[in-house]
Amino acid sequence: MTGKASLNELGEFLKKRRSGLSPRMVGLPENSRTRRVPGLRREEVAQLANISTDYYMRLEQGRMQASAPLLEDLARVLRLDEDERAYLFQLAGKTTARPRRRGRQKVQPQLQRLLDDLTSTPALVQGRRGDILAWNSLAAALVTDFSRLPEKHRNYPRIQFTDPAMRTLYADWEASAQISVAQLRMEAAKCPDDPRLIELVGELSMRDAQFAQWWGDHRVAARTVGTKTLNHPVVGELVLDWDTLTASTDPDQQLTVWTAAPDSPTHERLRILASWAAAQQVPASPSLS
């Protein structure tokens, strides 16, 4: 049975998504009635999903569970993308069962060995909530010296919002930070009662108004691939492609690597950064014994 917290999150997610749509966007005629709030009305969503307004209202209030076919209809009506659709199903408990609560994660040995062998490519391993479980020296030189942070503070979203250097490192910090929040929101669907996640969200919401705003927007995104531009204090501008690989032995652990096209300016600057990191003895995460 889906928990009350998940049902409440599902209701809030539905509200946010319908607020971003207009009747014209979903093929409904505009009318002269003044709308007190932007977006579709509940009755309009219910009409498009072929359910009663009362039924849909109960969904938004977290008082009703939705079947998989209805979720499909709502995803279609609300124009959800693939990540948002997956998030909707997770909140409703229709994809995978809620994972049992586990202790602190440790990097998988095979991922650690891979990190140890990557000397010219920045890479790190993230676990649940974006916790940083391991990294190589080039990732530390690229982003920050993770070894200087207390273990409980080695969390990528937290670093992005609490380390002032991140706002100058990222050429478009706001876009990157919004994606980070959307990825964290996706994580929250897997275990909305996770006390460490609740603590993290509460801390960042209190410390940063933008985080609180973006968290309230209920945008979601999976860790997949992308491109980011960094203004590195040592080597200058870096245009990096990032890719995420999921460990088959623990799907909650993901290896993120940053690469650049061969012979590109960024490729050469990464080599310079690697040499600088070696000279500075920038530490990687401790290897597993």
Side-chain angles (χ1 to χ4, degrees), residues 173-231:
W173 177 85
E174 285 201 6
S176 180
Q178 282 182 288
I179 291 173
S180 187
V181 174
Q183 291 170 344
L184 190 62
R185 172 65 80 172
M186 193 81 167
E187 286 282 316
K190 299 177 184 178
C191 193
D193 298 321
D194 178 2
R196 290 188 62 197
L197 185 141
I198 293 171
E199 180 183 2
L200 175 65
V201 170
E203 176 194 0
L204 295 182
S205 295
M206 291 294 292
R207 293 181 64 156
D208 194 286
Q210 286 178 299
F211 179 92
Q213 175 189 339
W214 296 334
W215 183 259
D217 286 341
H218 286 256
R219 297 291 179 186
V220 293
R223 291 194 202 114
T224 51
V225 297
T227 301
K228 66 176 64 178
T229 300
L230 303 181
N231 295 318

Side-chain angles (χ1 to χ4, degrees), residues 13 15 21 27 62 84 115 162 178:
F13 183 61
K15 290 178 189 176
L21 297 172
E84 291 169 332
L115 279 177
T162 61
Q178 282 182 288

Side-chain angles (χ1 to χ4, degrees), residues 143-144 156 159-161 163-171 173:
V143 182
T144 192
Y156 211 90
I159 292 169
Q160 278 192 295
F161 280 91
D163 186 346
M166 295 299 102
R167 297 177 188 255
T168 54
L169 176 65
Y170 283 91
W173 177 85

